[in-house]
Amino acid sequence: MHSFGYRANALFTFSVTALAFICAIASLSDNFSDQNPSAEIQILNINRFKKQSYENDEVSLTLDITADLQSLFTWNTKQVFAFVAAEYETPKNSLNQVSLWDAIIPDKEHAKFRIQTSNKYRFIDQGHNLRGKEFNLTLHWHVMPKTGKMFADKIVMPGYSLPDAYK
Amino acid sequence: MGWIGETIDSIKSIQIRQLLTQAISLGMIVTSALIIWKALMCVTGSESPVVVVLSGSMEPGFKRGDILFLHMSKDPIRAGEIVVFNVDGRDIPIVHRVIKVHERENTGDVDVLTKGDNNYGDDRLLYAEGQQWLHRHHIMGRAVGFLPYVGWVTIIMTEKPIIKYILIGALGLLVITSKD
């Protein structure tokens, strides 16, 4: 009962259990933080709106994104992944979500920002349904902790629409 | 050097009954580990409830050596979720984020495009020949939580299998030579 082996084993088991317990508590503490992020998106310009050669519509736009995600950061946060997606409906598809832009926010200082950017990822429809289409722009965020449970949420901003004719 | 003599003595003095008892205890330990693993598979609804991150394509969020806890539910797949999927013909699962979703009106079938956070382009290069989208049956689970660094044990054992053999050999020796 007092050999080196037994002691090392007991120490190891105890430290692993204690570490697991601490990680669980750290993750639980995230549930108690008060979060109120805010955001606003404006479409500055529709740069291009055309039909690709094999029948899918494609749009290129410039967005002005303002957001304040500082309240999402807790001591257990490693980074926040934020992205803007366009969501719309077509006759064939009940839901389409196309991510237009994303960014990794490494800390609280970078979490309040305003940028103007054209879409990072191509906005391509499955079909040619985008003329005059109304869509929502949603800012999603995904909080990735240093350890434990990840959680995600979003702000939906409805009321954007595309022009009626190709450009 | 006396330790080696002791070990040889103890191996010589093993009785069959004691050996069988120890073999059964070992079998019970292995079986309960298996039961826990299968139960986890049932609870999370995923074929592999825990995966190890093998590449740096999701940095800085997930580094090589982290482990991810997965959960699969009937909820529809939405943009922004981190999913684990298998490409036909490859057996290593990939953990990336969903960036595009097109869900059919009537059937609920869904076309999904993924991309690693740290990669420049989307995953079409990783999919099978001619495949443009992932479908629901490719996806094994959503990542819901994670623990850093713990997966290094698995990575080391996979990449340097000699360590695996050494560990199992040492464990076997310990079981045989322990007095209880």
Side-chain angles (χ1 to χ4, degrees), chain A residues 76-99:
Chain A
N76 189 29
T77 305
K78 187 198 292 190
Q79 67 177 41
V80 170
F81 185 88
F83 68 99
V84 170
E87 293 176 7
Y88 61 97
E89 211 179 285
T90 61
K92 187 169 91 158
N93 293 337
S94 57
L95 174 68
N96 298 279
Q97 288 178 317
V98 179
S99 172

mmCIF file of all heavy atoms in Angstrom, chain A residues 76-99:
data_model
loop_
_atom_site.group_PDB
_atom_site.id
_atom_site.type_symbol
_atom_site.label_atom_id
_atom_site.label_comp_id
_atom_site.label_asym_id
_atom_site.label_seq_id
_atom_site.Cartn_x
_atom_site.Cartn_y
_atom_site.Cartn_z
ATOM 1 N N ASN A 76 -13.424 32.251 -19.882
ATOM 2 C CA ASN A 76 -13.246 30.925 -20.462
ATOM 3 C C ASN A 76 -13.406 30.938 -21.982
ATOM 4 O O ASN A 76 -13.660 29.935 -22.590
ATOM 5 C CB ASN A 76 -14.266 29.964 -19.831
ATOM 6 C CG ASN A 76 -14.010 28.516 -20.216
ATOM 7 O OD1 ASN A 76 -12.872 28.126 -20.465
ATOM 8 N ND2 ASN A 76 -15.068 27.736 -20.313
ATOM 9 N N THR A 77 -13.283 32.119 -22.610
ATOM 10 C CA THR A 77 -13.506 32.159 -24.053
ATOM 11 C C THR A 77 -12.185 32.179 -24.780
ATOM 12 O O THR A 77 -11.324 33.007 -24.480
ATOM 13 C CB THR A 77 -14.295 33.433 -24.423
ATOM 14 O OG1 THR A 77 -15.473 33.461 -23.653
ATOM 15 C CG2 THR A 77 -14.636 33.441 -25.887
ATOM 16 N N LYS A 78 -12.037 31.296 -25.762
ATOM 17 C CA LYS A 78 -10.806 31.288 -26.539
ATOM 18 C C LYS A 78 -10.938 32.199 -27.755
ATOM 19 O O LYS A 78 -10.054 32.947 -28.101
ATOM 20 C CB LYS A 78 -10.494 29.859 -26.986
ATOM 21 C CG LYS A 78 -9.150 29.753 -27.654
ATOM 22 C CD LYS A 78 -9.011 28.503 -28.449
ATOM 23 C CE LYS A 78 -8.982 27.287 -27.593
ATOM 24 N NZ LYS A 78 -8.618 26.103 -28.366
ATOM 25 N N GLN A 79 -12.086 32.086 -28.439
ATOM 26 C CA GLN A 79 -12.320 32.953 -29.579
ATOM 27 C C GLN A 79 -13.805 32.947 -29.900
ATOM 28 O O GLN A 79 -14.550 32.080 -29.458
ATOM 29 C CB GLN A 79 -11.568 32.463 -30.819
ATOM 30 C CG GLN A 79 -12.108 31.137 -31.321
ATOM 31 C CD GLN A 79 -11.419 30.664 -32.584
ATOM 32 O OE1 GLN A 79 -10.219 30.766 -32.730
ATOM 33 N NE2 GLN A 79 -12.194 30.151 -33.506
ATOM 34 N N VAL A 80 -14.223 33.935 -30.665
ATOM 35 C CA VAL A 80 -15.605 33.946 -31.146
ATOM 36 C C VAL A 80 -15.536 33.921 -32.661
ATOM 37 O O VAL A 80 -14.834 34.714 -33.275
ATOM 38 C CB VAL A 80 -16.347 35.212 -30.669
ATOM 39 C CG1 VAL A 80 -17.684 35.348 -31.366
ATOM 40 C CG2 VAL A 80 -16.551 35.170 -29.172
ATOM 41 N N PHE A 81 -16.259 32.990 -33.266
ATOM 42 C CA PHE A 81 -16.287 32.916 -34.718
ATOM 43 C C PHE A 81 -17.576 33.564 -35.175
ATOM 44 O O PHE A 81 -18.657 33.112 -34.822
ATOM 45 C CB PHE A 81 -16.241 31.452 -35.147
ATOM 46 C CG PHE A 81 -16.154 31.259 -36.625
ATOM 47 C CD1 PHE A 81 -14.926 31.232 -37.253
ATOM 48 C CD2 PHE A 81 -17.298 31.096 -37.383
ATOM 49 C CE1 PHE A 81 -14.834 31.050 -38.624
ATOM 50 C CE2 PHE A 81 -17.219 30.918 -38.757
ATOM 51 C CZ PHE A 81 -15.984 30.895 -39.375
ATOM 52 N N ALA A 82 -17.461 34.651 -35.945
ATOM 53 C CA ALA A 82 -18.671 35.354 -36.381
ATOM 54 C C ALA A 82 -18.800 35.222 -37.884
ATOM 55 O O ALA A 82 -17.807 35.272 -38.599
ATOM 56 C CB ALA A 82 -18.571 36.830 -36.005
ATOM 57 N N PHE A 83 -20.026 35.037 -38.366
ATOM 58 C CA PHE A 83 -20.207 35.029 -39.815
ATOM 59 C C PHE A 83 -21.569 35.591 -40.175
ATOM 60 O O PHE A 83 -22.501 35.571 -39.371
ATOM 61 C CB PHE A 83 -20.000 33.638 -40.405
ATOM 62 C CG PHE A 83 -21.041 32.630 -40.043
ATOM 63 C CD1 PHE A 83 -22.080 32.335 -40.910
ATOM 64 C CD2 PHE A 83 -20.969 31.934 -38.850
ATOM 65 C CE1 PHE A 83 -23.030 31.383 -40.586
ATOM 66 C CE2 PHE A 83 -21.908 30.985 -38.520
ATOM 67 C CZ PHE A 83 -22.939 30.706 -39.396
ATOM 68 N N VAL A 84 -21.633 36.119 -41.395
ATOM 69 C CA VAL A 84 -22.877 36.692 -41.899
ATOM 70 C C VAL A 84 -23.403 35.768 -42.984
ATOM 71 O O VAL A 84 -22.684 35.425 -43.909
ATOM 72 C CB VAL A 84 -22.628 38.096 -42.501
ATOM 73 C CG1 VAL A 84 -23.856 38.585 -43.227
ATOM 74 C CG2 VAL A 84 -22.245 39.062 -41.403
ATOM 75 N N ALA A 85 -24.662 35.361 -42.851
ATOM 76 C CA ALA A 85 -25.251 34.486 -43.859
ATOM 77 C C ALA A 85 -26.503 35.124 -44.420
ATOM 78 O O ALA A 85 -27.245 35.793 -43.703
ATOM 79 C CB ALA A 85 -25.588 33.123 -43.253
ATOM 80 N N ALA A 86 -26.717 34.904 -45.717
ATOM 81 C CA ALA A 86 -27.966 35.324 -46.341
ATOM 82 C C ALA A 86 -28.912 34.135 -46.309
ATOM 83 O O ALA A 86 -28.514 33.028 -46.665
ATOM 84 C CB ALA A 86 -27.710 35.754 -47.784
ATOM 85 N N GLU A 87 -30.152 34.361 -45.845
ATOM 86 C CA GLU A 87 -31.114 33.260 -45.781
ATOM 87 C C GLU A 87 -32.330 33.610 -46.607
ATOM 88 O O GLU A 87 -32.876 34.702 -46.465
ATOM 89 C CB GLU A 87 -31.544 33.025 -44.333
ATOM 90 C CG GLU A 87 -30.435 32.520 -43.462
ATOM 91 C CD GLU A 87 -30.854 32.382 -42.014
ATOM 92 O OE1 GLU A 87 -32.041 32.560 -41.709
ATOM 93 O OE2 GLU A 87 -29.972 32.103 -41.192
ATOM 94 N N TYR A 88 -32.755 32.694 -47.469
ATOM 95 C CA TYR A 88 -33.924 32.975 -48.300
ATOM 96 C C TYR A 88 -34.572 31.665 -48.699
ATOM 97 O O TYR A 88 -34.017 30.579 -48.474
ATOM 98 C CB TYR A 88 -33.518 33.781 -49.537
ATOM 99 C CG TYR A 88 -32.527 33.068 -50.424
ATOM 100 C CD1 TYR A 88 -32.961 32.354 -51.535
ATOM 101 C CD2 TYR A 88 -31.165 33.108 -50.159
ATOM 102 C CE1 TYR A 88 -32.061 31.693 -52.352
ATOM 103 C CE2 TYR A 88 -30.261 32.447 -50.971
ATOM 104 C CZ TYR A 88 -30.713 31.747 -52.063
ATOM 105 O OH TYR A 88 -29.815 31.097 -52.870
ATOM 106 N N GLU A 89 -35.747 31.813 -49.326
ATOM 107 C CA GLU A 89 -36.535 30.641 -49.680
ATOM 108 C C GLU A 89 -36.707 30.624 -51.187
ATOM 109 O O GLU A 89 -36.780 31.677 -51.811
ATOM 110 C CB GLU A 89 -37.919 30.848 -49.068
ATOM 111 C CG GLU A 89 -38.644 29.615 -48.664
ATOM 112 C CD GLU A 89 -39.990 29.998 -48.062
ATOM 113 O OE1 GLU A 89 -39.980 30.470 -46.922
ATOM 114 O OE2 GLU A 89 -40.984 29.845 -48.770
ATOM 115 N N THR A 90 -36.750 29.456 -51.764
ATOM 116 C CA THR A 90 -37.045 29.364 -53.201
ATOM 117 C C THR A 90 -38.098 28.281 -53.377
ATOM 118 O O THR A 90 -38.355 27.510 -52.463
ATOM 119 C CB THR A 90 -35.786 28.979 -54.008
ATOM 120 O OG1 THR A 90 -35.337 27.702 -53.565
ATOM 121 C CG2 THR A 90 -34.705 30.008 -53.846
ATOM 122 N N PRO A 91 -38.707 28.201 -54.563
ATOM 123 C CA PRO A 91 -39.727 27.169 -54.774
ATOM 124 C C PRO A 91 -39.187 25.755 -54.557
ATOM 125 O O PRO A 91 -39.869 24.898 -54.024
ATOM 126 C CB PRO A 91 -40.144 27.370 -56.235
ATOM 127 C CG PRO A 91 -39.825 28.775 -56.530
ATOM 128 C CD PRO A 91 -38.655 29.151 -55.684
ATOM 129 N N LYS A 92 -37.938 25.537 -54.931
ATOM 130 C CA LYS A 92 -37.400 24.179 -54.795
ATOM 131 C C LYS A 92 -36.887 23.906 -53.379
ATOM 132 O O LYS A 92 -36.979 22.797 -52.858
ATOM 133 C CB LYS A 92 -36.253 24.001 -55.811
ATOM 134 C CG LYS A 92 -35.734 22.568 -55.873
ATOM 135 C CD LYS A 92 -34.790 22.370 -57.057
ATOM 136 C CE LYS A 92 -33.362 22.644 -56.675
ATOM 137 N NZ LYS A 92 -32.352 22.037 -57.525
ATOM 138 N N ASN A 93 -36.325 24.930 -52.756
ATOM 139 C CA ASN A 93 -35.696 24.749 -51.443
ATOM 140 C C ASN A 93 -36.423 25.532 -50.376
ATOM 141 O O ASN A 93 -36.619 26.741 -50.508
ATOM 142 C CB ASN A 93 -34.243 25.254 -51.489
ATOM 143 C CG ASN A 93 -33.377 24.402 -52.368
ATOM 144 O OD1 ASN A 93 -33.677 23.258 -52.610
ATOM 145 N ND2 ASN A 93 -32.306 24.992 -52.856
ATOM 146 N N SER A 94 -36.800 24.840 -49.282
ATOM 147 C CA SER A 94 -37.510 25.577 -48.233
ATOM 148 C C SER A 94 -36.569 26.496 -47.477
ATOM 149 O O SER A 94 -36.989 27.471 -46.877
ATOM 150 C CB SER A 94 -38.168 24.608 -47.262
ATOM 151 O OG SER A 94 -37.181 23.760 -46.718
ATOM 152 N N LEU A 95 -35.275 26.191 -47.479
ATOM 153 C CA LEU A 95 -34.348 27.095 -46.806
ATOM 154 C C LEU A 95 -33.013 27.078 -47.531
ATOM 155 O O LEU A 95 -32.502 26.019 -47.872
ATOM 156 C CB LEU A 95 -34.131 26.650 -45.356
ATOM 157 C CG LEU A 95 -33.060 27.466 -44.612
ATOM 158 C CD1 LEU A 95 -33.517 28.884 -44.393
ATOM 159 C CD2 LEU A 95 -32.734 26.819 -43.285
ATOM 160 N N ASN A 96 -32.479 28.256 -47.766
ATOM 161 C CA ASN A 96 -31.113 28.346 -48.285
ATOM 162 C C ASN A 96 -30.331 29.242 -47.345
ATOM 163 O O ASN A 96 -30.794 30.322 -46.986
ATOM 164 C CB ASN A 96 -31.108 29.007 -49.666
ATOM 165 C CG ASN A 96 -31.884 28.217 -50.673
ATOM 166 O OD1 ASN A 96 -31.393 27.256 -51.226
ATOM 167 N ND2 ASN A 96 -33.119 28.618 -50.901
ATOM 168 N N GLN A 97 -29.162 28.775 -46.942
ATOM 169 C CA GLN A 97 -28.307 29.634 -46.122
ATOM 170 C C GLN A 97 -26.963 29.693 -46.807
ATOM 171 O O GLN A 97 -26.336 28.662 -47.026
ATOM 172 C CB GLN A 97 -28.086 29.036 -44.737
ATOM 173 C CG GLN A 97 -29.282 29.074 -43.830
ATOM 174 C CD GLN A 97 -28.979 28.418 -42.502
ATOM 175 O OE1 GLN A 97 -28.359 27.361 -42.459
ATOM 176 N NE2 GLN A 97 -29.404 29.033 -41.425
ATOM 177 N N VAL A 98 -26.522 30.897 -47.128
ATOM 178 C CA VAL A 98 -25.250 31.038 -47.818
ATOM 179 C C VAL A 98 -24.378 31.980 -46.996
ATOM 180 O O VAL A 98 -24.748 33.123 -46.760
ATOM 181 C CB VAL A 98 -25.470 31.618 -49.232
ATOM 182 C CG1 VAL A 98 -24.145 31.795 -49.931
ATOM 183 C CG2 VAL A 98 -26.362 30.698 -50.036
ATOM 184 N N SER A 99 -23.235 31.478 -46.552
ATOM 185 C CA SER A 99 -22.370 32.328 -45.750
ATOM 186 C C SER A 99 -21.636 33.296 -46.663
ATOM 187 O O SER A 99 -21.049 32.895 -47.665
ATOM 188 C CB SER A 99 -21.363 31.445 -45.005
ATOM 189 O OG SER A 99 -20.405 32.236 -44.369
#
